[in-house]
Every structure is written in C-alpha cells, then in structure tokens.
Amino acid sequence: MNNDQIWQAVLGELEIGISRANFITWFKNTFIHKIEDDKVVVSVPNDFAKRWLEQKYYKSIKASLEKITEKKITEVSYQINLQKTETKNDLIEKETKKVEKEEVKPAVGQIKNLNSSGLNPKYSFNSFIVGKANELACAACHAIMKNPGKSYNPLFVYGGVGLGKTHLLQAVGNEFIKMGKRVLYTTSEQFTNNYIDSIKSGKAKEFKNLYRNVDLLLVDDVQFMGGKDGTQEEFFHTFNELQQGDKQVILSSDRAPKAIPAIEKRLISRFESGMVADVGKPDIETKIAILEKKAKEKNYILEEDILKYISNSIQNNIRELEGALNKVIAYHEFHNIKPSIKTVKNVLNDLTNNNQIKPIIPKDIIETVCQFYNINGKDLLGAKRKKELVLPRQISMFLMREELKTSYPTIGEELGGRDHTTAIHSFNKINKEKEENEKLNQDIISIKQLLYGSF
Ligand code: ADP
Ligand code: MG
C-alpha cells in the first residue's frame, strides 16, 4: 500500500465514528506527508485542524495506522500544508489513472470558472438503488429528464442526512450534461458565499449571469438559507427568472419547505409550487442491494448472509452503511482473511462500542468553546472582563440554553457562579447578534459541530 491508500483506509475507519460535518471539517485536505520507520507525518490545512487532530483524534489515528500498517507507530505528528512525498509507485499510478475520479468542486469561485458545473461524475443513476423510500423522488427526477423545466418545476427533495439527496441531485445534473445542457450545482451555503463575494467585489452582474444562464440549477441543502434575508431575496429572483424561462430547478433540504426555520413565505410557496418528494430510511432489501452494489464497485464479494447482517446492524442512513462496509472490507483485506459472520460481527461491534453516544452536558459546552477560542477554562469561568473572554462566555451560556435547555440559574452556576440575569442577557444578546453577524453565526455552527462530533 502506498501512503495515500494507507491514509484512505485510516479515514475510512475514522469516518464511521464521527459525524459527516466533523469528518469534513477535520480531515478535508489531510494526507500522509511521509512515513519514516515508525514515525508518521500528516499534513493538515491549518492550525485549527492540527490542534484538533492532536488533541481529539491522536489515539484513534495512531491505533488505526498501527492496525492498517501492521506495525508499531511511535509518533504521529501534524504539520501544516506540506507537500506529498511521492514514491515511484505513486507516479506510475498517477500516469496510468488517466480517468481520475473528480471531486465535487464548490461553486465558490466559479464566477471565474464558468465551465465547471460542480458535479461529481461518480453520482449516477446507475449506482443509485431505488427502493420504496426514494422511489417517488427518483421517478420525479426521471420525469424531469424527459421533460426538463415542464413536468415538475421545481422539484423539492427532502429527507434526513445520508439518505441520497445529493446523490440524486448530482445524478440528474450528470444526465443533463450528457444531453449537452448547462448545469450548475451549488449548496445554499455556496450560493450565499458567492452572493456576498459578488457584492463585495462589485460583480453582481457576473453572479446573476452565472446562476441565471443555466438549463438546470441544483441547490443542495436549502435549509441553510433560513435566516439569511439577502440571500433569500436574491434566490427568489434567480428562481423566478429560471422558472419563467422553463429552466429546471431542483432543490434539496433536510426538512419540508414549511418546516425550514426563518424562511420567507413567498419562498416556501415557490418551493412547494412544483413537486415535493421525500426520501426516507431504506428498508432492509434496499440496504442489501446498496451494499451489494457498493461492494461490487470495490471488486469485493460478500455473501448474502453477511450483507444481511451488516444491513441489520446499521439503522440510520446509507452513509453509515457505506462506512460499515468500508470498514469490513478494509479489515478483511488487511488481515487477508475471508469474511465470516463472526469476524464481521467483531468489526461492527467495535464500531458501535467506539461510537457510544454520550449525552452532552454543560461542561462539554464549556470545554468545546474553550478549545474553539483557544482559551483557558479557568479564565472562562473567572471574573476577568477581557473581550476575548466575554464573548466565549456568552456563547457558552447561549449554547447551554439553546442546545440543552438548561435553566438560567443553572447556567449561571455552571459559568462560575454568575447570576441568572447574566445568563438571560447573554442568551438574548447572542441570539440577536448571530442573525446580524455572519462570522459569529459561523463560529456557533463550528462549535456545535465540534460539540456533537467529539467523542
Ligand atoms: P444526503 O445528501 O441525503 O445527506 P448523500 O446523497 O450524500 O446523502 O448520500 C450518502 C451516501 O450514500 C453517498 O455516498 C451516496 O452515494 C450513498 N447513497 C445514498 N442513497 C443511495 C442509493 N439509493 N443507492 C446507492 N447509494 C446511495
Ligand atoms: Mg447532501
């Protein structure tokens, strides 16, 4: 195995125990820089990721590396933005792999690069298994491909995380590309960022051109437009223009239009004006079919009873199902053994034990906020009124109330014996300010990601 393969296998293992948001936050753009004897150097994109990996994931990364390389690792160090050291093998592989898998490119920056539609070719209908839980959404997509802009416009797909919404949107996008049509895939966050950037840089016209001159606009995760008034306004006009020109729009969200918080009524009515289709959790037959397909894609054969066993063990979503499969394959390939129910059970047990869900308590919030802002817990709870401490303090109180519904007197207690009126004031202040201050809002989102992903 070369370094990339080793790292992919490590990530495959780690991914299972971590929420997707965290996984992406911490492991995006990481790779093994080099392995020298028993020392591994990992490159990370920034200091924040470095600290987090060192503190939170040191043990699991080391253990995983040892398991995969089957040797003792004495040290894993993290450095920022190193180059990959390429072995001869890597170079040969690169040369021969002409048809590279393309990663999803964010629409951010696409004002400069109009060709890129933000699609990942790996998401196709071919690799999408249809079952009861997604057949309506899937049928709507097929109808759209036959009759773009006219049959269901917009199509609004909603459902929980990891149930195939992005896959479906991208699959339609890829089909449209094959038909020679112009496609743009974006997430509502990218749309927002792009919109803000375009205003700042005086490129509002380019922005409009980018989003309005397409045959198909795919907007993933529109729930994040909630509370962003400027973005909603802009999107409303973009949407109207596309719809009036019979250009197709497909949207996804983690909940139904009416359930999106802080979204304008006129947008809800637009979202509902075409077809609304939900995707649900797959039944056991669909799970088995998905596993079989994914295993085949990896050239790995698993017996029916094992597929069934894995399907029964994983309840939540398809992403977790894939994670479990990856782990099963990785484990058996590394040990060069044939999977049996017993060995698979061991691998999956390991997985569920590592992943025990602990309820979050106020102390976790304090700890996470301190880590995020790189401050000392004692200072946070203390009396100093420095600006660097006041905001994190207020955010801690806000999160305790918002996330844990802790009573105000208890929040005061947790924060080093403050008065409950301080807790009320802090909650109200942050609640209001985060609507107006995007940086603060983003900070809070990141802290929440840390909070729920840490184990
Ligand atoms: P969502 O956008 O709903 O969170 P994704 O589209 O990212 O979910 O799906 C998560 C993973 O599960 C992806 O790797 C995707 O390819 C896979 N997946 C989801 N649904 C299916 C399906 N019906 N058939 C095959 N793979 C699927
Ligand atoms: Mg998605």
Side-chain angles (χ1 to χ4, degrees), residues 164-342:
K165 300 181 297 294
T166 298
H167 190 138
L168 210 47
L169 260 62
Q170 292 244 342
V172 180
N174 283 317
E175 288 300 316
F176 268 62
I177 294 273
K178 277 191 214 153
M179 296 187 256
K181 295 189 185 288
R182 291 163 305 172
V183 179
L184 185 62
Y185 168 90
T186 185
T187 64
S188 66
E189 280 164 317
Q190 286 160 2
F191 184 88
T192 304
N193 291 340
N194 246 349
Y195 172 61
I196 295 169
D197 286 351
S198 76
I199 293 175
K200 277 193 201 142
S201 56
K203 286 191 172 164
K205 210 166 157 197
E206 281 93 334
F207 177 85
K208 285 191 170 58
N209 279 339
L210 173 66
Y211 283 96
R212 297 182 191 188
N213 284 329
V214 291
D215 302 307
L216 169 65
L217 179 65
L218 302 161
V219 188
D220 216 349
D221 294 318
V222 290
Q223 73 272 12
F224 292 123
M225 277 192 199
K228 298 182 177 130
D229 296 344
T231 305
Q232 289 184 30
E233 167 92 27
E234 179 60 32
F235 186 67
F236 179 74
H237 296 299
T238 306
F239 180 87
N240 285 345
E241 193 161 320
L242 289 169
Q243 204 186 34
Q244 275 155 22
D246 281 343
K247 305 301 185 200
Q248 183 69 47
V249 179
I250 308 183
L251 310 156
S252 89
S253 159
D254 68 350
R255 60 200 84 179
K258 281 203 185 72
I260 302 175
I263 194 117
E264 289 179 31
K265 283 213 176 67
R266 57 179 184 169
L267 268 183
I268 298 180
S269 89
R270 290 297 186 285
F271 289 170
E272 289 178 334
S273 66
M275 158 91 144
V276 177
D278 70 333
V279 291
K281 287 187 186 175
D283 55 24
I284 179 90
E285 289 81 17
T286 314
K287 284 198 275 188
I288 293 175
I290 291 173
L291 278 179
E292 201 170 5
K293 181 127 204 156
K294 304 263 173 199
K296 249 193 208 139
E297 280 168 14
K298 296 175 199 294
N299 288 325
Y300 202 83
I301 295 165
L302 283 168
E303 307 284 340
E304 177 87 24
D305 58 336
I306 293 180
L307 294 174
K308 222 177 199 161
Y309 183 83
I310 303 174
S311 301
N312 271 320
S313 321
I314 305 292
Q315 301 301 335
N316 289 335
N317 66 49
I318 298 168
R319 192 170 286 139
E320 273 178 28
L321 196 65
E322 274 191 279
L325 175 71
N326 288 343
K327 185 156 180 178
V328 166
I329 296 180
Y331 179 86
H332 293 89
E333 276 190 344
F334 296 132
H335 294 282
N336 205 10
I337 51 172
K338 197 168 171 287
S340 67
I341 291 279
K342 193 162 167 253

Side-chain angles (χ1 to χ4, degrees), residues 249-441:
V249 179
I250 308 183
L251 310 156
S252 89
S253 159
D254 68 350
R255 60 200 84 179
K258 281 203 185 72
I260 302 175
I263 194 117
E264 289 179 31
K265 283 213 176 67
R266 57 179 184 169
L267 268 183
I268 298 180
S269 89
R270 290 297 186 285
F271 289 170
E272 289 178 334
S273 66
M275 158 91 144
V276 177
D278 70 333
V279 291
K281 287 187 186 175
D283 55 24
I284 179 90
E285 289 81 17
T286 314
K287 284 198 275 188
I288 293 175
I290 291 173
L291 278 179
E292 201 170 5
K293 181 127 204 156
K294 304 263 173 199
K296 249 193 208 139
E297 280 168 14
K298 296 175 199 294
N299 288 325
Y300 202 83
I301 295 165
L302 283 168
E303 307 284 340
E304 177 87 24
D305 58 336
I306 293 180
L307 294 174
K308 222 177 199 161
Y309 183 83
I310 303 174
S311 301
N312 271 320
S313 321
I314 305 292
Q315 301 301 335
N316 289 335
N317 66 49
I318 298 168
R319 192 170 286 139
E320 273 178 28
L321 196 65
E322 274 191 279
L325 175 71
N326 288 343
K327 185 156 180 178
V328 166
I329 296 180
Y331 179 86
H332 293 89
E333 276 190 344
F334 296 132
H335 294 282
N336 205 10
I337 51 172
K338 197 168 171 287
S340 67
I341 291 279
K342 193 162 167 253
T343 54
V344 170
K345 206 172 180 171
N346 273 343
V347 177
L348 297 186
N349 266 348
D350 220 28
L351 186 156
T352 33
N353 288 344
N354 280 339
N355 198 14
Q356 262 172 12
I357 296 166
K358 279 190 282 162
I360 288 175
I361 56 171
K363 287 212 171 31
D364 297 324
I365 291 186
I366 292 175
E367 198 178 289
T368 312
V369 169
C370 286
Q371 251 157 358
F372 186 83
Y373 289 107
N374 198 19
I375 51 181
N376 185 311
K378 259 199 195 136
D379 289 340
L380 187 94
L381 303 183
K384 278 187 236 153
R385 298 219 26 97
K386 274 200 276 182
K387 199 170 139 223
E388 305 83 74
L389 297 173
V390 173
L391 182 70
R393 226 173 252 155
Q394 290 172 335
I395 291 178
S396 306
M397 293 190 250
F398 168 79
L399 286 172
M400 284 181 199
R401 184 70 189 172
E402 169 131 314
E403 299 300 308
L404 310 182
K405 310 280 173 265
T406 313
S407 75
Y408 287 120
T410 311
I411 294 176
E413 275 298 296
E414 293 286 345
L415 264 286
R418 292 179 150 75
D419 195 73
H420 75 280
T421 52
T422 310
I424 296 174
H425 168 77
S426 300
F427 176 82
N428 291 336
K429 178 167 174 281
I430 299 294
N431 200 25
K432 181 156 177 285
E433 223 171 277
K434 81 178 198 330
E435 298 302 318
E436 294 147 15
N437 180 342
E438 187 52 30
K439 159 105 182 30
L440 176 66
N441 190 34

Side-chain angles (χ1 to χ4, degrees), residues 134-148:
N134 59 22
E135 64 187 356
L136 178 64
C138 200
C141 289
H142 282 286
I144 283 169
M145 292 187 296
K146 280 210 190 98
N147 211 351

